[in-house]
């Protein structure tokens, strides 16, 4: 019985460490690539709305997203999904819409 408790604690510890490392990884990618400075605020709002609501984006903002790059875009979407406000959303659906 004691070994089951130890095993359970180790599994929880492993999963927690993995989640914390993923959060740090996204933040590090965003910081190293200056991702937050590459997209104008109007396009940030439009991209956010297109991913989480309507699904469409203008040609102008699409061009800015291309300049932003896939690495920054993916890291920003994943970091957004880590926020507790978005815990009810399906990450797979949001990531598919962000593509």
């Amino acid at each position: 019985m004691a070994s089951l408790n130890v095993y359970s604690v180790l599994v929880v510890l492993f999963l927690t460490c993995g989640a914390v490392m993923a959060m740090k990884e996204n933040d590090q990618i965003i910081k190293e690539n200056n991702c937050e400075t590459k997209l104008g605020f109007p396009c940030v709002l439009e991209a956010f709305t297109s991913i989480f609501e309507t699904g469409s984006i203008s040609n102008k903002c699409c061009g800015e997203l291309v300049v932003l790059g896939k690495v920054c875009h993916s890291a920003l979407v994943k970091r957004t999904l880590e926020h507790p406000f978005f815990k009810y959303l399906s990450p797979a659906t949001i990531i598919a819409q962000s593509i």
Side-chain angles (χ1 to χ4, degrees), residues 13 15-16 19 24 38 48 53 55 62 68 77 82 92-93 96 99:
L13 183 63
L15 292 174
T16 304
K24 286 184 179 179
K38 292 182 178 179
F48 187 86
E53 294 176 16
C62 182
L68 176 70
V77 169
E82 292 166 356
T93 301
I99 294 170

Side-chain angles (χ1 to χ4, degrees), residues 41-95:
F41 187 69
C43 287
V44 168
L45 292 177
E46 189 174 316
F48 187 86
T49 303
S50 73
I51 292 169
F52 291 93
E53 294 176 16
T54 64
S56 62
I57 192 164
S58 68
N59 288 336
K60 177 188 178 293
C61 290
C62 182
E64 285 193 33
L65 281 169
V66 169
V67 171
L68 176 70
K70 184 178 180 183
V71 171
C72 283
H73 177 68
S74 295
L76 288 166
V77 169
K78 289 176 185 174
R79 186 177 71 182
T80 301
L81 287 171
E82 292 166 356
H83 192 280
F85 183 76
F86 299 104
K87 67 182 176 186
Y88 66 93
L89 297 174
S90 163
T93 301
I94 296 302
I95 290 170

